[in-house]
Amino acid sequence: MSSYPPSGPPPKTTLRQRLADLRGPAVPPRPLDARALAALAANPGCGRRALLDGAGVDKTALAAALGSPAAFGQSQFAIIRGNSFEARVKGGGGAALLELVHRHLGAGAEPPGPGTPVPDLTAAGPEGRAARTALALREATAAGAWTLLDHPMLALEVAGTPAYLEPDAVVVHPDGRWTVVEIKSFPLIDGAADPAKVGAAARQAAVYVLALEKTAEKLPSAVVGHTVLLVCPKDFSNLPAAAPVDVRRERSVTRRQLDRLTRVEELAAALPEGLSFDPARPAAELTEAVSAVSAAYAPECLAACELAFHCRERARAAGAVTTLGRSVRGELGALTTVEEALAAAAGGGRPDDPAAAALHRAARLRAEALEAAACRS
C-alpha cells in the first residue's frame, strides 16, 4: 500500500492572494480613500476601475507604464497651503473648529469649553486605528460631552473588500450626534464657494457619513448627522469660515451606486490565470491585461481617474460614442459607435430605431437649411 497521502483538489486560492497576484507579488496594495470611492461611485458601470481599486493597484504607476500618464492632481504648493490651513483650524486643541461647529450646527447646546477632549487615535495599522476610533466614538457618546476626533480612521466594505477612510475630523455633540468636518483650501467668498468644488467635497463627505453609519449601528444612542461642516478660508484671508452642507442626496446616490458595484471576486474570477497589472511588466502585456476588463469611459473620467487618458485613447480608436459624453450616449440608444451614428444620419439605420430616425431627420433638416442659405447668398 502506498504511503503517500491521497491526492485531492488543489488548494483554493483566497481572494487576498488572487488580488495580490493581479497587483504584482512585490507591489504593496494602494488603499482606497474617500476621493477614489466618490469617483468610483460616480461611474459604477466601470468594472476596470472597480477591480483595479479593489485589488489596490497603483493606477498612476500603471498609467505611466501604459504610456498614458495621468496629467492631474494637486500641486505641491496647494498641498502645503492646505496642510497649513488645516493646522491653523485645529490649533489650540481645535478651539476654532469646535466654535464653528457649535455656531453652525450646535442646535442650542452649551458651547465647547476649554480642554475639550481630543482622544489619541494612534494604533498599529489601519485596522487598529479603525478599532481605536470606534472605541473613542463609543466613549465620547457615552460621556455626553463635546469631543473632537482628529483624523479618525473609518472602515467601509466596498465591492467585497474593506476600505479604510480618514476624514479631516469628526465632532461628537453632547446629544450623541456625530458630525463630519471637511477642511478645504478653496475660499468661501461672501459665504459661498465654487459650486463644483463644493459638490466634490459633498460627495467625498458622503462616503465618510456612510462609513460612520456602519459604526453607529452598534450604538443605539449615536446619530450620524447628514449635514456636514465645510471649513474653508474666509474670502482671501487665512481665517477659517464654515458653511453647513446637506449631503443626504449625495449619500443616497453613493450608497446606491456602491451597492450596484460588481463584487471584486466576480471580476477577478473571470480573468485568465497569470494575468497581472504589475507596472514592471512590458507595456504590451499590460495593455492586454487592462483590455481584459471592461471599462465605461466618459469625459468626466479625465478629472477623476488616472487611467482616463488610456481609456479615452482606446474608446476613440474603437469609435465609441462614449467619448462624446454620457448625455450623447444616452440619446443615441442602441447606436454605440460614431460610425453607426453617421450611417443612421445618412439613412442607413434600422427603421424601427427612434434614435436612428431622429438622426436621419436632423441630418435632412440640416441639409435643407444649408441649401436654403446657399440659395439666398
Side-chain angles (χ1 to χ4, degrees):
M1 177 180 255
S2 172
S3 60
Y4 292 103
S7 61
K12 185 178 180 180
T13 303
T14 64
L15 176 61
R16 185 184 295 272
Q17 181 59 48
R18 178 60 170 146
L19 296 182
D21 293 340
L22 290 174
R23 189 172 58 246
V27 180
R30 186 180 181 87
L32 279 169
D33 58 16
R35 191 186 302 270
L37 284 178
L40 181 61
N43 192 7
C46 187
R48 183 174 298 171
R49 173 150 197 166
L51 178 64
L52 295 177
D53 282 348
V57 174
D58 186 343
K59 297 195 301 298
T60 299
L62 179 60
L66 289 167
S68 303
F72 69 92
Q74 279 191 308
S75 67
Q76 195 64 31
F77 172 77
I79 294 174
I80 294 174
R81 182 174 182 271
N83 291 339
S84 174
F85 177 68
E86 181 176 340
R88 181 188 181 102
V89 171
K90 294 180 178 177
L97 175 57
L98 288 165
E99 192 276 330
L100 288 171
V101 173
H102 177 261
R103 185 196 312 169
H104 292 277
L105 300 172
E110 289 292 322
T116 297
V118 184
D120 181 10
L121 303 178
T122 57
E127 298 93 337
R129 289 187 59 201
R132 181 68 188 88
T133 296
L135 178 61
L137 286 167
R138 185 180 302 110
E139 292 175 344
T141 304
W146 289 101
T147 305
L148 171 63
L149 275 65
D150 185 9
H151 283 287
M153 183 66 73
L154 309 173
L156 180 67
E157 185 174 296
V158 179
T161 59
Y164 294 97
L165 314 171
E166 188 176 356
D168 294 325
V170 171
V171 173
V172 180
H173 298 242
D175 60 1
R177 186 157 40 98
W178 301 349
T179 293
V180 172
V181 178
E182 272 292 281
I183 302 174
K184 298 296 184 183
S185 59
F186 56 81
L188 279 173
I189 301 176
D190 293 332
D194 183 342
K197 293 180 178 179
V198 173
R203 289 189 294 272
Q204 185 174 338
V207 177
Y208 297 137
V209 169
L210 286 171
L212 268 180
E213 288 176 344
K214 290 297 182 184
T215 303
E217 289 175 355
K218 303 174 183 177
L219 296 174
S221 57
V223 177
V224 180
H226 289 163
T227 298
V228 305
L229 193 68
L230 179 63
V231 180
C232 302
K234 181 179 181 181
D235 298 326
F236 299 100
S237 70
N238 203 33
L239 298 175
V245 180
D246 190 331
V247 298
R248 282 178 294 183
R249 183 177 65 84
E250 288 81 5
R251 177 213 169 274
S252 298
V253 171
T254 303
R255 176 73 279 169
R256 184 169 63 253
Q257 300 294 55
L258 291 179
D259 287 342
R260 290 173 54 193
L261 289 174
T262 306
R263 295 182 65 84
V264 169
E265 55 262 43
E266 296 176 8
L267 293 168
L271 299 178
E273 290 293 332
L275 184 143
S276 174
F277 303 107
D278 189 342
R281 297 206 172 190
E285 186 177 331
L286 287 175
T287 300
E288 183 178 353
V290 169
S291 299
V293 189
S294 63
Y297 171 78
E300 293 84 352
C301 297
L302 294 173
C305 182
E306 296 85 343
L307 284 179
F309 292 94
H310 173 81
C311 296
R312 181 180 66 174
E313 180 184 344
R314 294 289 160 171
R316 284 177 172 176
V321 295
T322 52
T323 58
L324 304 177
R326 289 195 177 105
S327 59
V328 175
R329 173 68 187 89
E331 292 289 342
L332 291 179
L335 304 174
T336 59
T337 67
V338 174
E339 184 179 357
E340 291 175 350
L342 293 175
R350 291 172 47 189
D352 59 340
D353 186 348
L359 277 175
H360 182 46
R361 183 171 181 272
R364 189 174 65 251
L365 291 174
R366 178 179 181 274
E368 292 173 358
L370 291 176
E371 184 179 353
C375 290
R376 285 195 299 270
S377 63

